Structure formats: C-alpha cells, structure tokens
Amino acid sequence: MVVSGCEHGIDAGAWVLRALGEREAAAYEEHLSTCADCRGEVARLQVSADALALATEQVAPPRELKNRILGAIEAEQPARRPAPRARRWFLRPLPVAGLAAAALAVGIAAGVLLSGESTRTVDAHVAMRGAQATVSITGDHAKLSVSGMRNPPDGRIYQVWLQRGQGAPQPTDALFTVNRNGQGHVEVPGSVKGVDTILVTSEPRGGSLQPTRKPVITAAV
C-alpha cells in the first residue's frame, strides 16, 4: 500500500468519493494545486474507487425479511408501561458519503465518513481461501468490503449478522452478492454500538432469522 508523504493524504479518499463538506472540499482542492504527493494519492485512489463502482450492489431485502426481523425484535421486548408522553424514534438513514479505508487485493474499500470522526479498519477472518474482507467503522456505522470471494450456491445469498457478547447473532436485512471479480461491499444497517462481532453467512435467498450455515466472514469490532 502506498501512503502519501503529506499529512493531508488521509483526506484523499474522502476527496475521491466526494465525502468532504463544501468548505473542506474547497480547501483540499486548493491544497492539491500545491501538493504533488496528494495529487498522486488522489490519482491512485481514483482507480480503486472506479473499480468499486463496478462491484455488485447491496441486494434489496424482501419486505418479508424486514417484517420478520421487526416482529422478532418486538417479541423479545418486555412489556412496558405507557409513558405519559411517548417519544417517537425514527431510523436514521445511513450516510451516503464514504471514506476510502483499506487496501485489498484489487484496490481499496470504501468506508463511511462522518464529519469530524475518524475511521478505523478491521481485518476480518474469511473462511475462504484467497478471499479478504475488511470492516470500516466510523462513529457507530460500519461498512463491509470483500474481495476474492465466490458467490454462494444458487438459491443462496450472503447475509450480515450482529453479535453482542456471547449472545446469539442477530439478523440484519443486509443481503449481498459479489461480482465476477469476487468484489462486493455492503452497509451494515443501523448502529454497531455495543456490537462485538460482525458475521456473514450463506443463507437461503431472502434471508433468515437464524443462521443456517457457519460464518464465512467473522470480524471482531
């Protein structure tokens, strides 16, 4: 992996993926006009970003899976006495912006960039020879990127799970496949605060509420 000799090289990935705010982007553009190191880093990362654009997109989960997951969560919640003034909570959409985070066999993976927060990258264990996976974590959001993987057999799909402590893995509606080059990436739904392990298993197409196969990816976060 080539690293820029300039301290601002860390922002190159965010620049390539248009993840910087308006002010930051303008300042970085001005910096690029005087810094050959960062211009080289941007050019290098742009190749990888273009390659990521060709990766298979996250598969939209069927409505039935979402309903089953929500139903399972509600069934596990203890009965609560009604509060005098109920507060409504809404799911926050995942940020669109990403931050280039780690080098894989064919390039870099993109992470989620939140203003003012740093991104850390975790190398995952992959039970598939020649395959690699990383999890990029920014704040309480995470993104999984893989390379060198094979798609599961016909009728099956990869599903992401979250595990807290020694508890049973909890299902998510994050389903994905990889492209013909074995690359893919997927946003991990919701918050990973308190999550100890992110898992990926091969499940029947449409997803499962409980894992039916051993994990092919295990990331201790």
Side-chain angles (χ1 to χ4, degrees):
M1 178 179 179
V2 179
V3 179
S4 169
C6 176
E7 62 179 348
H8 297 293
I10 192 173
D11 295 323
W15 166 263
V16 168
L17 296 173
R18 299 180 181 178
L20 294 176
E22 186 174 345
R23 282 186 176 182
E24 291 83 357
Y28 199 70
E29 183 174 9
E30 182 176 353
H31 171 72
L32 287 175
S33 66
T34 60
C35 181
D37 281 348
C38 286
R39 288 199 302 272
E41 184 72 355
V42 164
R44 186 183 69 82
L45 293 179
Q46 186 65 59
V47 174
S48 299
D50 292 342
L52 283 173
L54 301 176
T56 303
E57 295 183 358
Q58 181 172 342
V59 177
R63 180 176 299 177
E64 293 77 7
L65 177 61
K66 287 188 175 183
N67 292 338
R68 288 161 60 197
I69 292 175
L70 290 175
I73 293 174
E74 291 175 357
E76 293 179 358
Q77 296 298 320
R80 296 181 179 177
R81 298 170 61 183
R85 296 181 64 181
R87 297 176 64 189
R88 290 187 176 182
W89 294 90
F90 297 89
L91 292 176
R92 294 182 300 166
L94 287 174
V96 176
L99 172 66
L104 297 179
V106 294
I108 61 168
V112 179
L113 176 68
L114 297 179
S115 178
E117 294 182 317
S118 61
T119 297
R120 64 185 178 92
T121 302
V122 175
D123 291 325
H125 171 73
V126 185
M128 185 180 295
R129 179 171 297 186
Q132 294 178 304
T134 59
V135 176
S136 300
I137 304 168
T138 307
D140 58 357
H141 295 287
K143 184 172 186 175
L144 171 70
S145 299
V146 303
S147 68
M149 287 192 67
R150 299 184 299 275
N151 272 318
D154 290 344
R156 301 187 74 86
I157 198 167
Y158 289 127
Q159 182 173 0
V160 178
W161 305 78
L162 305 180
Q163 186 175 30
R164 292 173 170 83
Q166 299 300 315
Q170 298 300 306
T172 74
D173 59 6
L175 309 176
F176 72 100
T177 59
V178 297
N179 66 10
R180 61 184 179 181
N181 295 323
Q183 297 171 285
H185 54 275
V186 61
E187 300 284 356
V188 177
S191 171
V192 294
K193 185 176 181 179
V195 172
D196 296 296
T197 310
I198 294 175
L199 308 165
V200 174
T201 62
S202 167
E203 299 298 327
R205 187 167 291 276
S208 304
L209 289 181
Q210 296 180 344
T212 63
R213 296 282 177 86
K214 292 182 178 180
V216 292
I217 295 176
T218 304
V221 298

